[in-house]
Amino acid sequence: MKYRKLLRVNLTTGAINEEDIPPLTVANFIGGRGFGVNYLYNELKPGTDPLGPENKLIFSIGPLAGTGAPSSSRWIVTAKSPLTGTYFRGCGGADFGAWMRFVELDMIIVEGKTESPVYLYIENGHYEIKNGKNLWGKNTVETEQAIKEIHGPKATSACIGPSGERLIRYATIAVDRGHCAGRGGMGTVMASKNLKAIAINPTGGVKAPSKDFKALIARELAEFQRFIRGEPGSPPFSEKGTTGGVDGTNILGVYPVRNFREGSLDEWKKISSDEYLALKVKSVSCYGCPVHCDREVRVKSGPYAGVSTKGLEYETIWAFTGCIGSNDIGFPVAADLLCDELGIDTISAGVSMGFAYELFEKGIITKKDTDGLELVWGNHEAAFELLKKIANRQGLGDILAEGVKRASAYFGRGSEDYAMHIKGLEMPAFDVRGVKWHGLAMATCPCGAFHNMAFSTQELFGNPWPRSVDRFAEEGYADINKINEDWTAVVDTGIWCNFIGEWQVPSLNLLRELLPAVTGVPQFADEKTIFQVGERITNLERAFNVREGFDRKDDIYPKRFTTELLKKAGPSEGSIIGNFGKMLDEYYAIRGWDQNGIPTIEKLESLGLGQIAKDIIKQRK
Ligand code: SF4
């Protein structure tokens, strides 16, 4: 097996060095998310300030990136989150991952902080920290364009926008505007280092894969095409992207409305996937992906007529409709464009606004706090103004830019009850009272309320693998959560796109063929070995958080889910979380963790993480 390579960049000292990634690290962690957590755990001291120079920002790709394997060139970014204080992993798309492969880097580890703005410029074997003062203040589109003007049209970049520069706690890192690592403030960490962008300009030519590997890819691609073009139960992502989620969740009654009080939106068909399909201008895709799930859409009429954006996802549509009780089809398009250009997570922004609307309704904040904005349900014009205030940290927006957990601590007066987050990360677009195992996955997720790290296709799409799940049951399915989590961790090492990875059986078959060929590790043909890598990653992420003081007390829902019945929710009407403690007990037992949610010594040792076990013993003394 050949060594893989990382680039270590210290912004404080200006040192830039290449390092080998040892074969044992590849065998244990494959790439992507596995590499990220392995290095973050080993190199970060417990208690590190997420916005201090000691935090590390780690970009990593999987072994399949840039090889021609379908949907495999996404990238992972790992750091300690300024929003949650936990381990965090973001994931982005477009061409950045493939470009990292073309300059032969599997990882870029950024440490320290510069005195003034810079950007990192990378060619094959040439690395430079360059003056970024002229880029500071530009939005993400302007930044990418400026970098192309300086370095040529082939240069791609991952960059932050002005909201990141203002240290909004949920700032994104963007590539090609809409292909963001959106959640958890990875862009905030980048901004705290005064790093505006990482620009990559491959100059060494792309190494042709071996004939055998090319033949293997061609065979797998044919199989894959059959799958994405409409096998029964396969995702219709090529046509509609993720907008089909609007239809599915409203029908199930789990589309959160008015800050998670109701489970479907009034007249939701006005924003259905068919309505968004009618706005489609063209398909857009990440590098080497035949799915083309991404779309450019343009609003045809109403107050946002003529506005267009790329990469409008289900979650974003929800953030700017359900959260504030609006069914205007154009507002999510305009809000998405603003968030992409300024570099803000749409989910955290939408939930923060829904929180403010509820406080306004309850009289906890008034027009004095909102600079005269009428935050009444359905008022998307006011929401647009509030979003700009968040992006620019003005007035109420300055408080909401801290996220709902910190904002509720600021407002007090019972506002904590309406702050919809887990571990400080704002809830995504699923009401957990109607998809209880999907909810458990978010409660126990190492990054907080993250929907994409153990997506329950069993509950949401009726996937029967490995078996069907009763979405209202409160016992008997924790084993499925473990499988979903460990599997997603594997997908994130590949890095195989999550949207495809959610269909486990065809994806697993593909990975078992491709991973041994590309890594030289024959054991990756074995399903058990692959899942063990996933379990190792999941346990190491948990161990990182335990070392930071997180445990069972933090695997907790906002009060609303355990005290209020879900309303206006069709088949989920009246649902509530009854005995969450029992669900947690079942999950911890299946995981081999103790009743406080701490991985046991035996479990860690069985995964080859004995040293981690010693850290935990030391830390808990
Ligand atoms: S399915 Fe969509 S998000 Fe995933 S790699 Fe393809 S275009 Fe990108």
Side-chain angles (χ1 to χ4, degrees), residues 71 74 179 237 284-286 289 291-294 497 499-500:
S71 316
R74 291 177 67 81
H179 296 273
F237 285 155
V284 183
S285 192
C286 297
C289 180
V291 179
H292 299 277
C293 84
D294 220 343
C497 178
F499 291 164
I500 305 308

Side-chain angles (χ1 to χ4, degrees), residues 154-175:
K154 249 175 52 191
T156 193
S157 48
C159 68
I160 56 164
S163 294
E165 294 168 16
R166 292 187 188 103
L167 297 181
I168 283 172
R169 278 192 193 262
Y170 40 88
T172 61
I173 299 175
V175 176

